Amino acid sequence: MSDLREALDALLEDVPPARLADSVQRLIADYRSGRPADEPLIRTMVDATAYAAYRMPATHAAVAKALAMLPPIEPRSLLDVGGGTGAATWAAVDAYGPLDATVLDQVPEALRLGERIAKGRLAARWQEWRLGEPLTEADLITVSYVLTELTEDDQRSLVAEAGAAARQALVIVEPGTPEGYRRILTARDALIAAGWTVAAPCPHQGACGMQGRDWCHFSARVNRSALHRRLKEARLGHEDEKFSFVAVTRNQPGAEGRVVRHPAFRKGLVTLQVCQPDTTVGPVLVPKREGARYKAARDAEWGDQWPPHPDES
Ligand SMILES: C[S@@+](CC[C@H](N)C(=O)[O-])C[C@H]1O[C@@H](n2cnc3c(N)ncnc32)[C@H](O)[C@@H]1O
């Protein structure tokens, strides 16, 4: 993250926040509306700069956290579909090292800005592409915060195309809202039907045990820069980006559950909400007398596997 933060700080050094404020407010309203976009939401270089300043650290943090929940993969190539200014590409390179990376997007200004941010720090091809045009194969494909802008038909066709073009893994990330979660569930069903194995966050291939009462999402901490704080008129030095995601791979499914909320701590007792391999979701109580298990529960975080992998405990 530090490299991206430095690159963004360098880019934004000379940009007066007032120049970005209108774009930031419009983008916030557009993204919050949750409506599919009938024209690109990022339309100009100022919009792209505003997006990079106020959203890119958060989408980067969400993708980084999602990738950290994947089983081991060794991708050499990456296709970042609807990649915009390249947040998911940064996260993938952070996770796996240098990749033969291609960022695809319909908005040339976003690509040009992404290329400028990446210059000298991260190598990638930046290519104009519109949904409907073919995708070339890649070991890893990311689709980060894109479905939210598409109609249901377009979401279906993008998920099918990306599923057909991914060789090792496909990771789809959406806002951590009930609607984002529903889009993820639909994509998950389609990918299972196409023969993929769900590798994260679910510890099973069955129906989601949260449906009807809750929505599955996770949280990534993002430190705000001074400009970020000014743009969002925010006081806190950080924000928590909520996201939903599905990652599919060719790996065998793991046997551990997944912690799906912040753990709750009471004196001598940790309560973890765990999604289990048998598809149930519910509390796991770990009292102090359980010694090493209690210590592991105290260290557990939202998104971790439970019980922890033997080499982590
Ligand atoms: C919210 S931005 C996400 C950008 C980036 N993936 C990230 O996580 O920061 C959504 C991106 O999807 C792109 N997009 C939306 N509809 C598209 C389409 N029909 N064809 C190509 N790109 C599209 C937009 O141009 C935009 O850059």
Coordinates of all heavy atoms in Angstrom, one line a residue, residues 64 89 256:
A64 N -7.0 -6.1 -1.7 CA -5.9 -6.7 -1.0 C -6.4 -7.7 0.1 O -5.8 -8.8 0.2 CB -5.0 -5.6 -0.4
T89 N -5.0 -4.0 -9.6 CA -3.7 -4.4 -10.2 C -2.6 -4.1 -9.1 O -1.8 -5.0 -8.9 CB -3.4 -3.6 -11.5 OG1 -4.4 -4.0 -12.4 CG2 -2.0 -4.0 -12.0
E256 N -11.6 -25.4 6.9 CA -11.8 -24.5 8.0 C -13.0 -23.6 7.8 O -13.4 -23.3 6.6 CB -10.6 -23.5 8.2 CG -9.4 -24.3 8.7 CD -8.5 -24.8 7.5 OE1 -8.8 -24.4 6.4 OE2 -7.6 -25.6 7.8

